[in-house]
Amino acid sequence: VAIDAYIRSAWHDLGEPGLLKKATFLRLYAFKNVLQKISLKYFLDWDETKFKGPFEFDMDTVTVKRNLDVIQNQSFSFEFRNNVIDQDLNISGYEINAGIIQERDKNVK
């Protein structure tokens, strides 16, 4: 029976929770477990009902770069999931290409 394993990241707000950010790609590392299938879902603005995905990809090498549907939100969180029989979920780390795209918080007067 497959075990539904997942890893969920913290919320990323780049230290500026009131400003919009833009993320364009994610690079995933798996040094000990290549050939695993990973499902990626990302959540937006501290809200688990607002998300994109899931997107499926194979870890056929130690690192895989995935372009994201452009995110323009105040925060984002990633979920990596695997529920394939006889496969582990083993992630060594990830990098996000992201930056702040606003100069000031429009919610503050």
Side-chain angles (χ1 to χ4, degrees):
V1 176
I3 296 173
D4 189 20
Y6 70 93
I7 298 170
R8 179 78 183 273
S9 78
W11 287 99
H12 299 285
D13 66 10
L14 307 181
E16 292 286 352
L19 300 181
L20 283 177
K21 288 93 187 157
K22 180 178 179 180
T24 56
F25 72 81
L26 176 134
R27 182 179 299 277
L28 190 60
Y29 297 90
F31 296 125
K32 300 231 180 216
N33 193 20
V34 296
L35 302 179
Q36 62 184 321
K37 294 190 181 298
I38 296 189
S39 173
L40 167 67
K41 185 188 289 187
Y42 44 98
F43 300 90
L44 309 168
D45 284 341
W46 299 282
D47 187 345
E48 294 184 5
T49 64
K50 290 174 53 179
F51 62 89
K52 293 192 178 194
F55 305 100
E56 305 292 328
F57 60 99
D58 295 324
M59 290 297 297
D60 52 2
T61 61
V62 181
T63 181
V64 173
K65 178 183 170 186
R66 168 134 182 113
N67 290 328
L68 301 172
D69 290 350
V70 175
I71 304 171
Q72 289 189 3
N73 292 85
Q74 292 176 323
S75 68
F76 41 90
S77 173
F78 297 97
E79 180 183 89
F80 309 101
R81 186 176 291 267
N82 177 303
N83 60 0
V84 178
I85 294 174
D86 294 331
Q87 279 192 8
D88 296 329
L89 176 62
N90 185 325
I91 296 172
S92 303
Y94 64 93
E95 294 176 47
I96 309 161
N97 182 31
I100 297 172
I101 59 173
Q102 261 183 326
E103 290 188 25
R104 63 181 184 88
D105 187 349
K106 293 181 179 179
N107 297 316
V108 178
K109 300 205 187 278

